[in-house]
Amino acid sequence: MITLIKTLLVNITILFSFTYNANVLFPFKEKQDSIFKHKITYGLIGSFGALLCMLYPIETLGATHFDLRMIAILISTIYAGLLSGSIVLGCVIIVRYLIGGPYVGVGIAVSVLALLMGMIFRKMLLKTQYKFLGSTLIFLIHSIFYITIINVYIPILHLPFYIIYFSVFYFTFLSLVFIIEHLIRTNKQIEEMVYLDKLNMVGQMAASIAHEIRNPLATVRGFIQHLSEDSQDKRLKRYSPLILNELDRTNKIITDYLSVAKPSGFQLSRLNIEDVIGDCVDLLRPFAAYSNTSIVFHRNGSHHIKGDEDHLKQAIMNVMKNGIESIENQGEISITLKEDPFSHSLYISISDNGKGMTPDELKKIGLPFYTTKTKGTGLGSMVTNKLIREMGGMIEYESEVDKGTVVRIKLPLLP
C-alpha cells in the first residue's frame, strides 16, 4: 500500500514539474489556438513527462504496468489540441509495446481511451466556467470505461488498488486543470501589466504635449475662419471648410490623448446596468439605422454594479459604435447579459456580424495608436479598455474574419 502511494507521488511530481516547464517555454493563454511550433513543443514535453511516469510504475501488481501517463495524454489533448495529444499517445504506445508483457494490449487501449476522452470533452471544459464540475465529469466518464477495461482483462486487481489509484488520479487531474487555469490567469495579468505600462507611456506623452499643440491650433483655426469670411478668394472659400474640419479632427485626437492621460474624475454610484445599456441603445439607434444596422438588447432581469454612469456609457457606446462601423451592408448588433454566480460578476456581450478581424489584428486591439479604420486614431478602444479597468472590470475580444466580433465586458456585481 505504502509503495503504491510513494510511486504515485513520484508520478504526480513529474506531471506538476513538466506543466510548469511547459508554461515557461510557451505561456498558456486563454482561447488562443497555439501555432504549430507550440503544439509540437507541448506534445514533446507531455511525451517526456508521460515516459518518465512509465519509468516509475506500480511494481507490486505483478506483470501490470500502472502509472499516471493517461493524465499526460488527457491534459495535452485538452489544452494543446489533438496534435499534441497524438504525439504523447504515439510515444506512449511505442514505449509500452517495447516494455512488453501479457497486458500490452490493455495498456495501449487505456492510453487510446485517454486521447478519445480529451478529444470529446475538450471544447466543453475550455468553454465552461465551472472547471471543477467539468473536470469531475470527464474523470467519472473516463473512469467508468477505464475500470471496465481493466476489470475484464486484469482479474488480479483488488478493491484497495481501485480506491487508491483512482483517488490519486482524480486529485492529480483536477489539480493540473486548476494549475493551468491559474497560470492562464497569471499570464493574462502579466500581459495587462505590460498593457497598462504602455497606457502610462501614452499618458505621459499626452500630458506633456497636448496643451502645447492645442493653443496654436486654436489660433490657426480662428485666423482661417476669419480670413474665409472676409476674403473674396474662391479657392480659400472652397478649401477653408476642409481645413477647419481637419483641424477639428486633430483637436479630437488631442482630446482623446488627454482622456487617456487625465480622465475626468470618477463618481461611483449604484447603477442599474439594464438602464445604462438601454440609454446607450437609444442614443446609437439613429446612427445604426443610418448604417442599415439594427440593435437588439436582450434584457435579463435587473442587475446593479458600482461605477461611473458617464464613463460606463462612453465605454459601451465605443464598443457598439465600432461594431456598427464594421458592418459593411445590413447587419445587427446584439447585446446580452449573463450573470456568473461563482465570481459574482456580470458579463456584457456585444456582438456584431461585421467583417471581423484576423488573429494578428485581434492581438493589437486596445494598443496605443492601433486601429483597423482608415480614419481612426487608435485611441477609442484604448480609452474603452482603460475605463472598464478603472471600474474593476475586464474586457475581452473574440473575432473571426467575415463572421463578426464579440466583445465581453466583465463587471463586479453589487448585492
Side-chain angles (χ1 to χ4, degrees), residues 45 118 182 284 295 375 398:
I45 292 174
H182 174 73
L284 279 180
I295 303 177
K375 292 186 178 181
E398 184 178 324

Side-chain angles (χ1 to χ4, degrees), residues 271-286 295-301 303 309 312-313 316-317 320 335-337 346 348 350:
L271 302 176
N272 185 310
I273 192 65
E274 278 79 10
D275 292 342
V276 172
I277 297 176
D279 291 342
C280 295
V281 171
D282 291 338
L283 289 170
L284 279 180
R285 189 157 277 152
I295 303 177
V296 180
F297 175 33
H298 305 275
R299 289 181 176 268
N300 184 18
H303 302 89
E309 184 173 357
L312 183 57
K313 284 182 178 179
I316 293 175
M317 289 176 67
M320 293 171 60
I335 306 172
T336 58
L337 304 178
L346 180 71
I348 306 170
I350 304 174

